[in-house]
Each structure stands twice: as C-alpha cells, then as structure tokens.
Amino acid sequence: LRYPGFAPAPGRPVVTSYLNGASGPASAPAGSATAQTLPPYSLTSFVLRPAHRRALPAAPGTPAVTAVTDTTATVSWPAAKGRHRPGRSYEVHLQDAAGSHPVGRTARTTLALRDLRAGTRYTVTVVTRDVGGTTSWSTPAVAFVTGTPADSTCAVHVADTNDWGNGYVGSLGITNTGTEPVEGWRLEFAFPRPWQSFGSGWSATWTAEGVHVTAADPNTTIAPGSTVSVGYVGNYAGPNILPRVFTLNGTVCTTR
C-alpha cells in the first residue's frame, strides 16, 4: 500500500474483515499501514490516521456517473461545503485493473471522461485541492462499467445455456450488421476474471492463451444480415461473469 502525499501514523491499524463463509465481520489489529494480507473472497477495510494533522479542504460529495457509453462517461458531484480559499479546484481520479491515475482537474462540479475502454469496470473518486496544493479526503469510490458500441458493423449475442457450478456452455451468435460480407471471420474476446478459462469449443477453430480466446473460420463468409452460431465450454473458480467485449476481424461489436 502506498499513499502519495500522505504519511500514516505508526502502529498496527485495526482491520475489519468479512471472511468467506463467516456469519459477520470481525475486527482486530493486523498487518501495517503499508502491507496487509487479504484472505480469498473476503471484504477488508481499515482506517488510517495521518502522522501529522493539518487543516484539509472540505471533501466534495459522493460522485455520480451518468451518460455512460463504450468510450465516454460523465461524472458529477455535490460541491464541497464550508468556506474555501480562492483557487479551489476538484481533482478526479479513475481506477481500473492497472491502478489509479488522475484524469482531470476542474473548478466546476462535473467532468467528461473520454478515451475509456469498452466493456471495462472503473471506479471514480474526487478530491478537493486548494490553492496551496493541499487535497481533501477522497470521496467514496463509485463504480461503473462501460458498454459496447451502440452502432457497429457486427453484433454478438452471448448466453450461458447450461451451468453446473464450476463450468458452463457459452453460446455465441455472431451477426453481420454491416452492408459488406465478412469473408473469413475471426472473433476474439477475453474472460473478465483470471479464474475463468476456456475448455473446448465447436463450429469454429478455437485457440486460447490465458483468458484471451479466439474463434475463427477462414472458409466461411457472413453475409450482411446473417448470423453464425458457435459455442464453447468455459471453466470458472469464482463468480462467473460472461465476456462482454468481442471483436470481429478487429472491429469492436455491439454485445447483446
């Protein structure tokens, strides 16, 4: 755990964990401010005190995310309350699987997010920054998931047609929604979680490397308005989330 611009007080923090199969959360001092062990399938929280206290700007209210598309979204938040020094601004941070990074600073209470990845889960937080560079505590994190293009030259319908607890049959319907035939098609997707994997497939030539999967048929043409159907067996050892982002010959498809 790292805290840019923040120094935690020494001592073991009180950690509250809700373990898999437990009847409720339990609290006890554990780990340190810079290292914690998180049990599998658990929820863990702890609160740290700063080593040196100083007056911080008031934090803004909990943000809301609206107008989410495949590559854009709008985040807005209630203004920070109380008196503020001139030059106050808000800083928006976006988190994904790769980590957290600032995406914009504004004096307003709304910010447009651009260049997002389709079918990706993000969380967003906001802090107040005063003219001296001091930041407030963060708002609670708010999660959202981008979609797939509303308009594309291809569409994929994905369904779990048979599930037995640690595996399932996935059905894919690939539709050419464009005006030109797709000759020699190649469909690519990735499982959303690392505990998911490819088992076998049919009606195409299937290959898999880790969570990344490819189904191809170089000898088949998909005419405009036509659909081809393929299927696969997927395995999982945690929550099973169906893939949402598919590309057909490099084009991101609409997922239905």
Side-chain angles (χ1 to χ4, degrees), residues 60-68 73-78 92-96 100 103 113 116 120-127 138-146:
T62 300
V65 182
T66 57
V68 180
T74 298
V75 56
S76 56
W77 55 91
V92 179
H93 293 253
L94 196 64
Q95 300 85 34
D96 58 15
S100 174
V103 292
L113 306 179
L116 304 176
T120 301
R121 185 181 189 275
Y122 293 95
T123 56
V124 63
T125 55
V126 185
V127 298
S138 169
T139 64
V142 174
F144 68 98
V145 179
T146 52

Side-chain angles (χ1 to χ4, degrees), residues 19-20 56 61 93 104 120 132 136 142 146-147 151 154 160 183 200 212 224:
L19 303 180
N20 185 30
L56 300 178
H93 293 253
T120 301
S136 70
V142 174
T146 52
D151 296 308
C154 57
D160 179 347
E183 299 180 358
S200 60
H212 300 279

Side-chain angles (χ1 to χ4, degrees), residues 20-119:
N20 185 30
S23 59
S27 299
S32 70
T34 57
Q36 290 287 335
T37 298
L38 307 182
Y41 306 114
S42 65
L43 298 175
T44 303
S45 66
F46 55 97
V47 178
L48 300 176
R49 294 178 292 106
H52 304 286
R53 294 187 179 275
R54 58 179 175 178
L56 300 178
T62 300
V65 182
T66 57
V68 180
T69 70
D70 56 326
T71 60
T72 63
T74 298
V75 56
S76 56
W77 55 91
K81 297 181 179 180
R83 299 180 62 183
H84 302 279
R85 298 166 63 182
R88 178 198 67 184
S89 62
Y90 298 105
E91 198 170 89
V92 179
H93 293 253
L94 196 64
Q95 300 85 34
D96 58 15
S100 174
H101 56 278
V103 292
R105 186 184 299 180
T106 178
R108 303 165 66 91
T109 57
T110 185
L111 184 72
L113 306 179
R114 299 182 175 87
D115 300 322
L116 304 176
R117 294 189 301 276

